[in-house]
Amino acid sequence: MQNRSLRVLTCSLFLVFALPASAAQRAILDYRKDGSERPPTVPENTRAALVSAIPGNAKDIVVLSHDRGSFSDTGVSEDIYLIADKAPVAAEPFAPGPAQLLVTIKDSRTSVWKLPSELRYQRIAGTVDADRDGRDELLLEAVFYNMGQSIISVDLVALGANGGAAVRQNLKDVVTDNCDNPVGKREKRASTIALGNNGKLIAKQYSQRCG
């Protein structure tokens, strides 16, 4: 009877200590599911506001993605758009051209943040307040394709106070898809991404079947 009580107590203590870590690492992105999406439909007045916000008198833009949250300040609710001069091509991840931009709109007021010029993102995959300061960071997704292999990486990006945007963390190979590989092994791995107690993203890979 005493040994049974000790076993129950041990299991209870294990659950007490395990539950907070499990809750803290709830997946915020799951690449095992189909996450493909089309570029957002943007009303003409919103597109005009985005174009007019860009320095240099841009004639047109490509709106790649859209999300909503508190990005520029705490306690605000604003729209954010990932925009570029042209849609990125996965086979040319470092194509030359102007830097992509993030533009927030709140109460018809626009603010612009410049992304690092060498990076090309396809979409905003999600948002998270990783450092718990009341401002959301962005999970920006980049895709590379070559010779039947597709690779997806995710950057945790925060807006700065000077109109810049900084990459705080890079998760490489959150998806590796070799299912169209003409000569090598056909395989696919996809990850879940969670937020750890230390504010860092944690990726866990899973094997997937080729379709």
Side-chain angles (χ1 to χ4, degrees):
M1 186 70 177
Q2 185 177 6
N3 288 339
R4 183 180 177 184
S5 299
L6 285 173
R7 286 197 298 270
V8 171
L9 178 61
T10 301
C11 291
S12 299
L13 287 173
F14 173 78
L15 288 173
V16 167
F17 286 107
L19 281 174
S22 175
Q25 295 183 7
R26 180 178 58 86
I28 53 178
L29 281 180
D30 189 346
Y31 277 99
R32 297 172 299 176
K33 303 174 183 178
D34 181 15
S36 59
E37 65 178 36
R38 295 181 179 179
T41 301
V42 181
E44 284 303 316
N45 61 329
T46 301
R47 178 176 290 276
L50 293 171
V51 171
S52 63
I54 299 172
N57 300 316
K59 293 182 179 180
D60 200 8
I61 55 168
V62 175
V63 180
L64 300 173
S65 198
H66 164 259
D67 215 314
R68 190 169 181 82
S70 298
F71 306 102
S72 63
D73 202 355
T74 59
V76 302
S77 180
E78 57 197 338
D79 293 285
I80 192 164
Y81 296 86
L82 172 63
I83 65 174
D85 64 322
K86 59 183 178 182
V89 178
E92 300 177 359
F94 304 108
Q100 293 181 330
L101 301 174
L102 293 165
V103 181
T104 59
I105 299 181
K106 180 182 180 295
D107 299 332
S108 300
R109 298 194 303 271
T110 59
S111 299
V112 180
W113 282 266
K114 184 178 179 181
L115 288 161
S117 59
E118 71 277 10
L119 301 178
R120 296 289 181 269
Y121 297 108
Q122 268 74 17
R123 70 179 184 121
I124 302 170
T127 65
V128 62
D129 184 7
D131 56 7
R132 299 176 177 88
D133 67 347
R135 295 175 57 188
D136 294 319
E137 289 82 45
L138 296 150
L139 300 168
L140 297 185
E141 179 182 288
V143 182
F144 172 67
Y145 181 83
N146 184 46
M147 297 295 290
Q149 182 183 53
S150 178
I151 299 173
I152 297 177
S153 64
V154 170
D155 285 351
L156 178 70
V157 175
L159 304 185
N162 58 352
V167 177
R168 289 190 176 173
Q169 188 179 353
N170 170 253
L171 293 178
K172 297 180 179 179
D173 303 342
V174 296
V175 175
T176 56
D177 186 342
N178 298 325
C179 293
D180 294 328
N181 194 335
V183 292
K185 187 177 181 180
R186 297 177 68 250
E187 61 181 359
K188 181 179 180 181
R189 292 182 178 274
S191 301
T192 59
I193 298 176
L195 181 64
N197 292 328
N198 61 354
K200 295 292 185 181
L201 299 178
I202 303 167
K204 182 177 180 181
Q205 279 198 342
Y206 296 86
S207 294
Q208 301 256 275
R209 291 183 178 181
C210 291

